Amino acid sequence: MHTVVVGTTGATADDVLAVARGGARIELSGEAVAALSKARGIIDALAAKPEPVYGVSTGFGALASRHISPELRAQLQRNIVRSHAAGMGPRVEREVVRALMFLRLKTVCSGHTGVRPEVAQTMADVLNAGITPVVHEYGSLGCSGDLAPLSHCALTLMGEGDAEGPDGVVKPAAELLAAHGIVPVELREKEGLALLNGTDGMLGMLIMALADLDTLYKSADVTAALSLEALLGTDKVLAPELHAIRPHPGQGASAANMLAVLKGSELTGHHQDGAPRVQDAYSVRCAPQVAGAGRDTMAHARLVAERELASSVDNPVVLPDGRVESNGNFHGAPVAYVLDFLAIAAADLGSIAERRTDRLLDKNRSHGLPPFLADDAGVDSGLMIAQYTQAALVSELKRLAVPASADSIPSSAMQEDHVSMGWSAARKLRTAVDNLARIIAVELYAATRAIELREGLTPAPASRAVIDAVRAAGVEGPGPDRFLAPDLAAADAFVRGGYLVAAVEPVTGPLR
C-alpha cells in the first residue's frame, strides 16, 4: 500500500488524494517528530508562567479574557472539543473527513502548533486504521477554522462520539479505538484548540474538486467536439493561429483538444443541401473560450491550494524564535473565493453544453437531424426529456454559482465578526461538480447518437473510438424509445470515471 510521509514543510495535492481517496498509510518523519517536541517544549514553558497566553492558559474567542488555572486546563481542552462538536445535518462523505484529518495532521506536524508528538501519532493511527469520525454538514463558518467538523474528528481522538469503522459500520469511537489498539488522547494545554483551528475541510474539498474538474474539462472538450461534428460545423475556428492572438492558456488548450478529437472527420465543413454556413452558433464556435476561461480559473485555484498546502494554519502559532503569537491565518477567504470561482465556471460550462444539446435536438437548427434524434418522431419522443433533465441540472448549477463567500454572519458575541463561509462554498461546489458530470453525460449521449445518424459520412477516428467505448459501457445507440434513465446513468459513470478521456487519448495523444 502507498505510504505518505508527513514532514514539516506541508503536503502535496497528490498526498491528499492518496489518503482521502486511495486509503494510503501515513508515517511521521523524524524531522516532524523533532519539530513537534521542540514546539511542545515552548508551550510547556509558557504554561508554567503566571502570565496568561491565549489558547494555553486562557479561554477562547469571546471568553479569552479569563485566565485558567493549571488544574483546569486539561478540562478546558476537553471542553472546547466537546462543545464545538456541534454539527448538524447529513453526514459528510468519508473522503472529505479523511482529507480534513490528514490536512490538520499536516499542520500539526509543521511544529508551529505546540501539539505533542503522541497526539500527532494518534491522528495518523486513526487514519491508518480506517476509522472515520462522523462529521455533519453544518457547523463551519469558514473562520477560526472549520470548527465543528474538526471538533468531531478531535472527539474521536479522545475516544468520544461516534465514528465509522473500516467496514462502514458506525460505532462508538471508544469501541473502534480499542479494537485497533489505539489509546485515546488526554489533551493538554493548547492541543484542543490546535486540533480545531484550520481551513482543512474546505481545502480538502478544493483539492478533490480540482482533480474531478480536470477530468470534466477534458471531457467537455471531447463532447463539444462531438457536437460540432454532429452539427456539421467547421473546425476552422479551432486553428492554433486564431487562439495565439488571444493568448489565454486555457483557451488554447481547449481548442487544441477539440481539434485533436476532430482530426480526420468527414463530417466537419459539410452543410445541409449544400448551403454554406459562414459561422456556427456561439455554443459551438465559442466552446474553447468558455472552457478555456474555466481552465484558467482552475489554474488560479491550484495556486491558492498549493499555497495553503504549504501553510501552517493555527491560532496562536509557535514561531521559530520561540514566540507564541495570535494571528488571523485561520480566515478562509483565500480558499473560499476560489471555491466560488470554480462553481461559477462550472455553471457556465454546463450551460454552454446544454445549449449544444438543445441544438442537436431541434430540427430547425440541427442541419438535417431528426427531431429530438427520435427513431420515428411523433411515435417516439427521442431525447426530448433527457434535455429537460439536463436543463434542470443547469438551472441548479446557476443557483449553486451564487457565491457563499459574499456572505458573513457574525458569531462569538461579535468577536468573530467577519467570516468566510468557505466550508459552505466547498459543499456547494461538490454538488456543482456532480451535476456538471451529469450535464456532460447528456451531451455525450446526444452527440454520439447524432453522429451515428449521419449516414454516409465517416466520423473522426477519435469520435469512433468514443462511440465504440460508450456503447461497450452499456449506453445504447439510436433506435425506438426505451427506458432512458439507465442509459443516462451509464453515460454519467462513463464521464465521471474518466473513461471518456481514456477512450480518445490513444487516438489523440494526451489531452491538455
Side-chain angles (χ1 to χ4, degrees):
M1 182 178 291
H2 179 61
T3 298
V4 172
V5 179
V6 184
T8 61
T9 56
T12 68
D14 286 343
D15 291 337
V16 176
L17 294 170
V19 172
R21 291 179 166 174
R25 291 188 60 80
I26 299 164
E27 292 181 4
L28 308 186
S29 71
E31 177 190 29
V33 173
L36 285 159
S37 298
K38 181 180 178 181
R40 185 63 209 180
I42 294 170
I43 295 298
D44 286 341
L46 289 172
K49 292 183 177 181
E51 296 84 8
V53 177
Y54 177 71
V56 177
S57 53
T58 71
F60 309 110
L63 303 176
S65 59
R66 178 176 172 183
H67 182 260
I68 307 298
S69 59
E71 66 273 12
L72 294 176
R73 290 176 189 170
Q75 181 181 341
L76 170 70
Q77 300 301 320
R78 289 194 300 271
N79 284 352
I80 189 176
V81 172
R82 290 168 176 165
S83 64
H84 286 43
M88 295 182 72
R91 283 181 58 194
V92 172
E93 303 86 356
R94 182 177 185 269
E95 66 177 14
V96 172
V97 179
R98 287 184 61 82
L100 74 90
M101 284 189 71
F102 172 71
L103 288 167
R104 184 78 317 227
L105 175 60
K106 176 270 299 181
T107 285
V108 164
C109 287
S110 69
H112 292 298
T113 67
V115 169
R116 289 170 294 152
E118 50 264 45
V119 175
Q121 185 59 57
T122 301
M123 296 172 74
D125 292 343
V126 168
L127 284 164
N128 289 340
I131 297 171
T132 306
V134 171
V135 174
H136 299 280
E137 182 88 19
Y138 302 104
S140 174
L141 300 180
C143 205
S144 288
D146 290 318
L147 287 174
L150 284 164
S151 297
H152 282 275
C153 294
L155 199 66
T156 294
L157 300 178
M158 293 165 49
E160 300 182 18
D162 292 326
E164 179 186 296
D167 58 358
V169 177
V170 174
K171 297 178 181 178
E175 183 179 329
L176 288 169
L177 294 183
H180 289 85
I182 300 172
V183 178
V185 297
E186 292 283 346
L187 299 176
R188 288 170 49 180
E189 291 92 345
K190 195 185 178 298
E191 290 179 334
L193 184 61
L195 294 176
L196 317 185
N197 219 342
T199 55
D200 309 294
M202 64 182 91
L203 175 59
M205 286 186 274
L206 171 60
I207 290 165
M208 288 186 283
L210 285 168
D212 295 338
L213 287 169
D214 183 69
T215 297
L216 293 181
Y217 269 82
K218 292 175 183 176
S219 299
D221 288 341
V222 175
T223 58
L226 295 175
S227 291
L228 182 153
E229 193 173 23
L231 291 165
L232 307 178
T234 176
D235 59 0
K236 290 182 179 180
V237 295
L238 304 173
E241 57 270 25
L242 292 176
H243 297 278
I245 62 175
R246 195 190 190 195
H248 293 287
Q251 176 180 323
S254 180
N257 286 346
M258 290 181 65
L259 199 59
V261 172
L262 292 168
K263 185 177 180 180
S265 174
E266 292 184 5
L267 278 74
T268 56
H270 287 267
H271 304 291
Q272 184 183 14
D273 301 324
R277 227 178 311 154
V278 177
Q279 295 180 334
D280 290 310
Y282 281 11
S283 60
V284 178
R285 188 181 0 143
C286 301
Q289 285 76 9
V290 172
R295 272 190 160 81
D296 292 341
T297 301
M298 287 172 61
H300 172 60
R302 283 195 189 94
L303 178 61
V304 171
E306 288 167 3
R307 290 170 176 165
E308 199 74 0
L309 281 166
S311 301
S312 298
V313 179
D314 193 15
N315 178 47
V317 292
V318 181
L319 296 172
D321 61 8
R323 286 181 295 143
V324 176
E325 299 285 358
S326 290
N327 67 87
N329 285 344
F330 49 73
H331 199 289
V335 182
Y337 291 169
V338 295
L339 288 162
D340 280 333
F341 296 164
L342 290 173
I344 292 168
D348 203 29
L349 187 63
S351 180
I352 197 170
E354 182 276 330
R355 288 293 80 205
R356 290 190 294 265
T357 303
D358 181 67
R359 185 166 290 272
L360 288 166
L361 305 189
D362 184 351
K363 70 180 182 64
N364 296 312
R365 295 180 291 139
S366 67
H367 307 284
L369 290 169
F372 303 106
L373 306 182
D375 185 63
D376 184 4
V379 175
D380 295 313
S381 294
L383 306 190
M384 179 190 295
I385 307 305
Q387 185 267 332
Y388 281 37
T389 299
Q390 191 185 38
L393 289 163
V394 170
S395 183
E396 176 73 2
L397 276 188
K398 292 174 183 178
R399 291 190 290 273
L400 293 166
V402 176
S405 58
D407 188 26
S408 176
I409 298 181
S411 55
S412 193
M414 293 298 286
Q415 175 72 4
E416 299 168 9
D417 58 354
H418 185 275
V419 297
S420 78
M421 303 306 296
W423 173 274
S424 298
R427 295 307 296 167
K428 69 184 183 65
L429 177 60
R430 283 181 70 82
T431 303
V433 170
D434 279 346
N435 285 351
L436 178 60
R438 297 180 180 109
I439 290 164
I440 294 170
V442 174
E443 183 180 18
L444 172 67
Y445 189 39
T448 52
R449 177 183 282 212
I451 289 172
E452 288 186 296
L453 290 171
R454 294 290 190 189
E455 296 179 356
L457 294 172
T458 303
S463 302
R464 184 73 260 168
V466 168
I467 293 169
D468 291 344
V470 79
R471 298 292 172 256
V475 182
E476 295 188 31
D481 280 357
R482 56 182 170 270
F483 181 22
L484 275 189
D487 274 0
L488 296 177
D492 178 32
F494 189 76
V495 169
R496 74 176 62 238
Y499 301 110
L500 174 55
V501 175
V504 300
E505 288 191 327
V507 180
T508 63
L511 298 181
R512 294 164 58 183

